[in-house]
Amino acid sequence: MSAPAWLEALKKALSHPENKGKIVYQVATVDSKNHPRVRSQVHRGFMNPDGHPELSILVTSTDARTPKVSQAHANQRVELAWWLDGSQDQFRIAGFTHLCLSSAFPGAKSTPIPAEAAALKMLEAQGFDWDAKGKEVLDAMSPGMRAWWSAPKGSGTPLSSVEEQKGWASKVPPEDEAKDDEDKNNYETAAKNFALMLIDPDEVDWVALGAHPNKRTVFRKEGGQWVEQLLAPHQIWKFMNMSALDEEISACERSSNVALPCRM
């Protein structure tokens, strides 16, 4: 089998010169009150089980101290939205997530792998080394990014003041480049708090605004196969890459007598 069509479309969009560095998407989970929670995360690559290019997984990461860990334990369904302005493509990718926590993290408990998550289940059956992948992702980060995980308080933890952060490490080199005990301790702390986050898609909604007319396709995994269906794009999308948006904003301003602060 070959890689799914949606992944080929996504990689093609990412290769567009004006999409260079567009590796941040918004990932939504659901909290204990059934409220949606969304945040921006950095894309860390794609992967698939050996011999199964059709089973594609998105790789990202998080801090084991963040609320999304408990949210994922309660509900492993997630969805991300990835807007690539250079090529005018939007990808909404839904599926199951698997969070892999370090065994050094207090009370560490990685999320289970749902039976429906075929790609993750295949990796598990192949004896995939989750810890090694997590270290690979952590070591590939910049020293400044890696320092986030070495902070004494995780994201969302109350602070007494902004000044409290001044003593935190601003850069943490890879383990094999540590120059002193402080570097070593900071790396160990970062590795302890780091959590690998994998997303196994089962539905992808792709809107191609660079195509004329605009094109929208949904891909759904059914019985181990990807099935695609053309959909009518939402009419508002036609304004995203046409001068008609300016006309629409002007009409809104005239009807409300309020000048809108931003024009796309």
Side-chain angles (χ1 to χ4, degrees), residues 152-209:
K153 292 186 176 181
S155 177
T157 305
L159 293 176
S160 57
S161 71
V162 175
E163 302 297 312
E164 190 176 340
Q165 304 172 74
K166 285 191 173 181
W168 298 359
S170 59
K171 293 184 178 181
V172 174
E175 185 176 25
D176 59 0
E177 295 180 16
K179 297 178 180 178
D180 50 36
D181 287 343
E182 183 179 7
D183 280 350
K184 291 178 182 178
N185 291 335
N186 284 335
Y187 182 87
E188 288 176 2
T189 300
K192 176 189 69 175
N193 293 328
F194 179 85
L196 182 68
M197 185 173 184
L198 305 177
I199 299 174
D200 186 344
D202 60 10
E203 181 175 306
V204 178
D205 189 332
W206 169 38
V207 179
L209 301 182

Side-chain angles (χ1 to χ4, degrees), residues 84-114:
L84 297 167
D85 189 61
S87 57
Q88 297 282 291
D89 287 292
Q90 176 185 265
F91 292 86
R92 291 166 54 196
I93 302 175
F96 297 94
T97 190
H98 177 47
L99 296 181
C100 311
L101 277 63
S102 166
S103 58
F105 186 78
K109 186 179 179 183
S110 297
T111 56
I113 298 177

Side-chain angles (χ1 to χ4, degrees), residues 242-256:
M242 297 175 64
S243 61
L245 177 59
D246 239 10
E247 297 176 15
E248 186 68 12
I249 292 178
S250 295
C252 290
E253 290 175 339
R254 288 194 298 271
S255 62
S256 63

Side-chain angles (χ1 to χ4, degrees), residues 34-245:
N34 209 33
H35 295 167
R37 297 293 178 181
V38 66
R39 76 288 292 166
S40 297
Q41 294 186 211
V42 177
H43 176 65
R44 300 292 176 186
F46 301 99
M47 59 182 289
N48 56 268
D50 290 341
H52 290 274
E54 78 281 4
L55 298 178
S56 301
I57 294 171
L58 284 82
V59 181
T60 183
S61 57
T62 189
D63 190 314
R65 298 168 291 181
T66 62
K68 76 167 70 65
V69 176
S70 60
Q71 292 163 12
H73 270 287
N75 186 343
Q76 287 180 254
R77 294 290 306 181
V78 298
E79 183 168 355
L80 68 87
W82 199 346
W83 170 246
L84 297 167
D85 189 61
S87 57
Q88 297 282 291
D89 287 292
Q90 176 185 265
F91 292 86
R92 291 166 54 196
I93 302 175
F96 297 94
T97 190
H98 177 47
L99 296 181
C100 311
L101 277 63
S102 166
S103 58
F105 186 78
K109 186 179 179 183
S110 297
T111 56
I113 298 177
E116 304 95 327
L120 291 169
K121 276 294 186 185
M122 181 63 71
L123 283 178
E124 185 178 46
Q126 292 179 348
F128 185 75
D129 192 334
W130 313 101
D131 290 338
K133 183 63 178 179
K135 179 174 173 51
E136 174 191 318
V137 173
L138 179 64
D139 287 352
M141 294 180 181
S142 67
M145 177 67 76
R146 198 179 297 112
W148 287 10
W149 278 267
S150 72
K153 292 186 176 181
S155 177
T157 305
L159 293 176
S160 57
S161 71
V162 175
E163 302 297 312
E164 190 176 340
Q165 304 172 74
K166 285 191 173 181
W168 298 359
S170 59
K171 293 184 178 181
V172 174
E175 185 176 25
D176 59 0
E177 295 180 16
K179 297 178 180 178
D180 50 36
D181 287 343
E182 183 179 7
D183 280 350
K184 291 178 182 178
N185 291 335
N186 284 335
Y187 182 87
E188 288 176 2
T189 300
K192 176 189 69 175
N193 293 328
F194 179 85
L196 182 68
M197 185 173 184
L198 305 177
I199 299 174
D200 186 344
D202 60 10
E203 181 175 306
V204 178
D205 189 332
W206 169 38
V207 179
L209 301 182
H212 300 284
N214 296 161
K215 181 181 177 183
R216 181 179 180 185
T217 310
V218 65
F219 303 83
R220 295 188 179 92
K221 192 184 290 183
E222 298 179 2
Q225 303 289 326
W226 283 100
V227 178
E228 61 183 87
Q229 173 66 58
L230 283 174
L231 302 177
H234 195 293
Q235 288 302 300
I236 189 61
W237 285 115
K238 71 181 181 180
F239 296 126
M240 293 293 288
N241 59 354
M242 297 175 64
S243 61
L245 177 59

Side-chain angles (χ1 to χ4, degrees), residues 1-18:
M1 292 188 177
S2 57
W6 65 262
L7 181 59
E8 295 297 328
L10 176 51
K11 287 185 174 181
K12 181 179 179 181
L14 286 169
S15 71
H16 191 286
E18 292 183 27

